Amino acid sequence: MTMKSILAILTGAGSDGAVLDAALAVARRFTAHIDAVHVRSLPGEAIAYGPPEALVATEELIAAMELEGRQREEAARTRFDRWRAEHGIAADGSGSGGTATAAWSPYVGGLWPVAGDLARYADLT
């Protein structure tokens, strides 16, 4: 069994480092590529799944949710960049043969629909 692509979903939380380290352990064994992704939710989607009183969201609430989403994305990206530098992981296509590679991709939408679609094309999530 070989694995060529690993999907690592980053949230901008403290657990992102552990997610990346676990992905790297597998990627090194199989000389695989890690697709590190972050999915920034749209405030309207988050509100739709909340309590009914949240449907009357104010502009301030939506702005705060958008700001938090951007901050989480930035935290995830910063963690990915530092992790890649710490471990000497080459970007997609720039490494020498026989080494694991990794790339960053941001998405906007619902976490589960986007992650589900991306996971269909990965050997491991």
Side-chain angles (χ1 to χ4, degrees):
M1 176 180 180
T2 56
M3 291 189 207
K4 290 297 176 191
S5 64
I6 300 168
L7 178 64
I9 301 169
L10 308 181
T11 63
S15 60
D16 286 351
V19 170
L20 290 166
D21 288 344
L24 181 58
V26 176
R28 281 189 170 150
R29 178 178 171 137
F30 292 98
T31 314
H33 176 74
I34 300 168
D35 287 309
V37 303
H38 177 269
V39 182
R40 183 165 37 99
S41 296
L42 297 170
E45 291 179 2
I47 292 169
Y49 291 108
E53 58 271 11
L55 294 175
V56 194
T58 63
E59 288 183 26
E60 293 84 15
L61 175 61
I62 291 172
M65 292 173 80
E66 288 175 348
L67 176 61
E68 181 183 358
R70 286 191 301 274
Q71 289 172 336
R72 285 182 167 272
E73 182 178 330
E74 185 176 319
R77 177 61 193 257
T78 299
R79 180 67 190 121
F80 172 77
D81 289 340
R82 286 184 185 152
W83 169 84
R84 203 166 60 88
E86 287 169 8
H87 294 283
I89 305 299
D92 185 28
S94 65
S96 60
T99 63
T101 59
W104 166 263
S105 297
Y107 292 87
V108 176
L111 174 61
W112 299 116
V114 172
D117 286 346
L118 294 172
R120 291 176 41 205
Y121 301 101
D123 294 318
L124 179 68
T125 300

